[in-house]
Amino acid sequence: MQPVSPGPALPQQDRSRRTVERLLVAAEQLLGEVGHAGFTIPELSRRAGISIGTVYKRFATKDELLRAVMQRVEREEMTVLERWEDEDWASLDSHLVVERVVGDLSRTWREHAPAMRGAMIRRLQTPDDDPFLNQGLSIMSRDSERFCGVIMTHADEIIHRDAEQAVDFAFRLIIGVCARCAARAIETIAPHPLSWEEMTARLSENVTSYLFGPAAISR
């Protein structure tokens, strides 16, 4: 699967890197509040305390800047998920496996909720062939494959006849719950009573029970 398309190379000087980092953090926060349609360079400049000219010196267009925001999120996520390749998952208890992967998958949604929220807002505002959205879908597809590879190390314990279909559903359940918590779409009406820690713990239990049966939780 293709990662987010390359943007401008990161600057080498410490001061320049700090400037870009401050821009990307402010851009992520603004994106989460107003979405892609309401995102403007002048407002970003004001919030970051960086001149408009400096913003455009680093990023030629708004889309280029937003791609850089998602690249930053993706780099952090890949650092976590690439560690999966070095783990002997088959030697671990199935419930522990689920706890670990749920925790890792939810981390991006928790730590980068504004960027993820902004991406979801854009999904509602743009056509299905939007390149920015297609990049996000590619990342989800890649993560799904990684998740399936980990869980299928315990394929003989899965209680469903079609194990791969069950694992795919489990992945969609995890992402759906994380997206709901990150979106805060209706929490002004019905605030979520659980913290992220409580949510991931219950999600892990439910996914474990669905895939491996209720007895797997207490093993």
Side-chain angles (χ1 to χ4, degrees):
M1 295 301 168
Q2 295 297 317
V4 174
S5 59
L10 293 177
Q12 298 302 310
Q13 296 181 348
D14 288 344
R15 183 176 179 181
S16 295
R17 284 201 300 268
R18 288 195 297 269
T19 297
V20 170
E21 180 69 10
R22 187 163 55 165
L23 275 173
L24 295 181
V25 170
E28 180 176 340
Q29 293 172 344
L30 181 59
L31 180 65
E33 293 176 18
V34 302
H36 181 270
F39 187 101
T40 67
I41 296 299
E43 178 59 17
L44 172 63
S45 169
R46 185 189 71 79
R47 291 195 180 203
I50 297 172
S51 71
I52 293 178
T54 298
V55 177
Y56 279 115
K57 180 180 178 182
R58 302 298 180 191
F59 303 100
T61 65
K62 181 172 75 171
D63 272 355
E64 188 175 283
L65 191 152
L66 294 178
R67 283 198 301 272
V69 170
M70 296 310 297
Q71 283 177 324
R72 176 174 174 268
V73 173
E74 182 190 7
R75 282 194 298 270
E76 292 188 19
E77 181 194 46
M78 286 192 67
T79 298
V80 174
L81 268 57
E82 283 176 352
R83 297 179 192 142
W84 290 5
E85 298 174 5
D86 300 324
E87 186 69 69
D88 182 12
W89 296 104
S91 67
L92 301 178
D93 179 81
S94 56
H95 187 198
L96 179 59
V97 171
V98 173
E99 284 184 338
R100 290 272 300 277
V101 296
V102 167
D104 286 347
L105 287 171
S106 66
R107 186 176 306 175
T108 298
W109 293 91
R110 178 182 184 178
E111 296 181 355
H112 296 284
M116 305 304 281
R117 189 158 57 244
M120 287 187 283
I121 292 173
R122 176 163 179 166
R123 176 66 185 90
L124 298 174
Q125 297 172 338
T126 54
D128 290 340
D129 60 353
D130 180 76
F132 190 82
L133 295 177
N134 289 334
Q135 291 163 2
L137 292 175
S138 293
I139 293 170
M140 283 294 103
S141 180
R142 180 204 64 202
D143 292 352
S144 176
E145 290 177 3
R146 287 177 182 267
F147 176 82
C148 183
V150 170
I151 300 301
M152 289 300 286
T153 61
H154 288 263
D156 59 331
E157 301 174 46
I158 294 175
I159 62 176
H160 299 271
R161 181 164 48 191
D162 190 332
E164 290 190 0
Q165 185 181 71
V167 173
D168 177 71
F169 178 78
F171 176 80
R172 293 171 185 270
L173 174 62
I174 293 166
I175 297 303
V177 172
C178 289
R180 165 63 180 80
C181 290
R184 300 187 309 188
I186 60 172
E187 286 188 1
T188 53
I189 301 173
H192 201 293
L194 301 179
S195 66
W196 272 96
E197 290 80 6
E198 293 169 326
M199 182 275 292
T200 54
R202 294 194 185 184
L203 184 56
S204 296
E205 290 182 354
N206 279 275
V207 170
T208 299
S209 179
Y210 169 71
L211 289 174
F212 304 110
I217 299 174
S218 57
R219 284 205 301 261

